[in-house]
Amino acid sequence: MTQAPKNWKESSVLSLVREERPLAVLLILMTAVYTLLSCVRQWRFQTGGFDLGIHDQVIWEYSRFLHPTSTLMGFDNALGDHFDPILMLLGPLYWFLPGPEALFLAQSLAVAIGGLAVFRFARRRLGRTPAYQWTAAYLVFWGIQSGLSYDFHDLLLAVPFIAFAIDFIDLKRWGWAFFCLVMLLFVKEDLGLLVAFFGVYLLVLGEWKKGSAIFFVGVVGFLLEMTVVLPYLASPRSYNHWVYPDLGRSLGESIGTILRHPLLVPKVLFSDPQKIVTMFCSFLACGFLTFLSPVGLLTIPLLAERMLSNAGNLYSMGYHYSATIAPVLMMGGVDGLYRLAMREKGRSGKLVPIASLVVLVLNLATVPIFPLRDLFRAKFYRSNPVVETAPKALALVPPDAKVLAQDTIVPHLSHRKSIYMMAKSELGMDCDYFIACRDLPAWPFDGFDPIEGSARQRMSHGYQKIFDENGWIVLKKAGGQDP
């Protein structure tokens, strides 16, 4: 990677905000926009128990210094589901803003903070105006839109650490770079692979000692979390997020398969048209310029982890899985454009402004077809009888009661030790309160009939219907706690 001139004195993050007031305004605006998008979805019951309800319950427990259980996932220790201790840092937010809205603000702010690194990196290479264009492209990248509109997920908290790791490595601020990379190990168990590839990236840059050390930390961190920490915390259950049956039934078996049959990897990578579309659209967002930069090496673990899977949600363009690649694509694109401009110097003086504008337009063009479009639709904000009746139904459920709730209702009641989501295995379970709404999505069921059947069966066994209005049903177990 081409480094900044030796006499270059880069602004600190705080100085950068003071120097670039328009940048601060842009980041604050986009934080507000994405937070609003998520909040309206929550208020209109468009969020779900997976993943918002799970995280909301766990962070509520952290905020009260309780043991982090997850009744929604069935784990006595929520860290046995995913190793994400970084969520502990969000616990204090609930002292001031006790609800999912705090999580929406936190993840939107995390992505915006990553924009500071993107801007600083781009300004060093391309200048001030292109830096604004690339930062704006990053903020509206379709993967960021999908990630911030899909409830809440710990993976979004990795975005600023990835962005600043690239930036600090470029500035040779090794202490801060190492801090960002170590923090990734506490965001989610699989990010150790990305840390290892940061080591490979440093080796390519000629930083042999630092690259070897980071590679070692990444590999050891990944193996420890996957083979020691998670099995210990999940006991007696097992890690249940392995989605690579084409390679093997476990991490060790999959590594063996890859070593014995390396040609199987590209076959699996391109086994589904959706995988090809997702990869193509990822690189299109940066004008394919990331291919011209060694930063592009960091896309390998981020894409391989998803494209080698057989889980459609993992390799689709929805959900939160494409958010972590955003800073890599944009900062790699910036460096790739800089390198191309240096080769073409004297022949194409307009290359940088034109290419930067094209990248911005490519990303803005996704707004009408991705989640940000909802903010420009009046019906997105319009109320309805289901939403208006919800507070009355929810108020009937005491804060300490054991509750069985429909998926979209779970995030509105997950500040408690015992809450369960309606699924085939849970429909018949004993609970203090049963709450559902026939006019809300019945996922994971195809329709509301199984839920309604469970309600009828409960009423025939002593449950009392205490609310039935505008589709909402609340049942109370005989002798249960009063609201």
Side-chain angles (χ1 to χ4, degrees), residues 231-250:
Y232 173 77
L233 295 175
S235 181
R237 296 187 53 170
S238 59
Y239 184 70
N240 61 347
H241 297 290
W242 191 256
V243 286
Y244 305 94
D246 294 329
L247 301 178
R249 293 170 294 179
S250 65

Side-chain angles (χ1 to χ4, degrees), residues 256-267:
T257 300
I258 292 172
L259 292 176
R260 291 193 306 272
H261 308 286
L263 293 180
L264 180 62
V265 173
K267 182 179 178 181

Side-chain angles (χ1 to χ4, degrees), residues 33 161 342 363 472:
V33 164
F161 294 116
M342 290 298 98
N363 286 277
W472 285 89

Side-chain angles (χ1 to χ4, degrees), residues 106-149:
Q107 69 177 5
S108 299
L109 186 59
V111 168
I113 289 172
L116 291 170
V118 174
F119 180 89
R120 194 164 68 167
F121 184 88
R123 189 176 68 170
R124 286 199 298 275
R125 278 162 174 70
L126 307 178
R128 186 170 183 262
T129 299
Y132 273 102
Q133 293 169 322
W134 281 89
T135 305
Y138 155 81
L139 291 168
V140 297
F141 169 60
W142 60 264
I144 293 293
Q145 291 187 55
S146 296
L148 289 177
S149 67

Side-chain angles (χ1 to χ4, degrees), residues 97-416:
L97 185 62
E101 292 81 2
L103 305 186
F104 301 147
L105 174 61
Q107 69 177 5
S108 299
L109 186 59
V111 168
I113 289 172
L116 291 170
V118 174
F119 180 89
R120 194 164 68 167
F121 184 88
R123 189 176 68 170
R124 286 199 298 275
R125 278 162 174 70
L126 307 178
R128 186 170 183 262
T129 299
Y132 273 102
Q133 293 169 322
W134 281 89
T135 305
Y138 155 81
L139 291 168
V140 297
F141 169 60
W142 60 264
I144 293 293
Q145 291 187 55
S146 296
L148 289 177
S149 67
Y150 179 68
D151 296 3
F152 170 86
H153 202 278
D154 47 21
L155 205 55
L156 273 295
L157 303 180
V159 172
F161 294 116
I162 295 170
F164 273 102
I166 297 170
D167 185 45
F168 285 131
I169 287 171
D170 187 46
L171 291 169
K172 295 185 180 293
R173 295 182 181 173
W174 302 116
W176 282 110
F178 187 75
F179 169 78
C180 290
L181 294 174
V182 169
M183 286 301 294
L184 288 175
L185 298 176
F186 295 95
V187 176
K188 199 160 175 277
E189 65 276 1
D190 56 340
L191 288 173
L193 290 176
L194 177 61
V195 174
F197 264 80
F198 264 101
V200 175
Y201 168 54
L202 284 168
L203 290 173
V204 171
L205 296 183
E207 298 288 349
W208 294 97
K209 290 183 179 180
K210 295 179 180 65
S212 300
I214 292 298
F215 180 80
F216 177 79
V217 168
V219 171
V220 171
F222 173 74
L223 292 176
L224 278 176
E225 291 181 10
M226 290 293 294
T227 63
V228 179
V229 177
L230 278 170
Y232 173 77
L233 295 175
S235 181
R237 296 187 53 170
S238 59
Y239 184 70
N240 61 347
H241 297 290
W242 191 256
V243 286
Y244 305 94
D246 294 329
L247 301 178
R249 293 170 294 179
S250 65
L251 175 61
E253 189 175 313
S254 296
I255 292 173
T257 300
I258 292 172
L259 292 176
R260 291 193 306 272
H261 308 286
L263 293 180
L264 180 62
V265 173
K267 182 179 178 181
V268 176
L269 278 174
F270 300 100
S271 61
D272 189 295
Q274 183 58 57
K275 295 181 179 181
I276 299 172
V277 170
T278 299
M279 288 189 283
F280 176 82
C281 290
S282 296
F283 290 108
L284 176 65
C286 63
F288 300 98
L289 291 164
T290 297
F291 288 118
L292 303 178
S293 168
V295 177
L297 286 168
L298 302 176
T299 65
I300 295 175
L302 293 171
L303 288 174
E305 180 187 13
R306 300 169 59 199
M307 303 306 148
L308 290 175
S309 168
N310 72 338
N313 62 321
L314 202 61
Y315 57 75
S316 73
M317 295 176 69
Y319 306 99
H320 48 271
Y321 300 106
S322 293
T324 49
I325 204 172
V328 176
L329 291 173
M330 296 305 166
M331 297 169 86
V334 164
D335 188 55
L337 177 56
Y338 177 78
R339 290 167 174 270
L340 182 61
M342 290 298 98
R343 288 204 297 264
E344 300 295 324
K345 194 171 182 179
R347 289 185 287 171
S348 182
K350 295 183 179 180
L351 176 61
V352 168
I354 291 175
S356 299
L357 180 61
V358 168
V359 167
L360 175 57
V361 170
L362 283 171
N363 286 277
L364 287 174
T366 66
V367 172
I369 55 177
F370 277 90
L372 277 178
R373 71 185 186 277
D374 290 337
L375 292 175
F376 302 96
R377 297 177 175 180
K379 67 178 183 179
F380 182 60
Y381 306 94
R382 207 169 287 143
S383 187
N384 58 59
V386 168
V387 173
E388 292 167 359
T389 306
K392 292 192 288 184
L394 297 171
L396 294 172
V397 181
D400 297 327
K402 180 180 178 181
V403 183
L404 180 63
Q406 204 168 329
D407 173 52
T408 53
I409 301 172
V410 166
H412 299 265
L413 292 169
S414 43
H415 284 193
R416 64 187 66 238

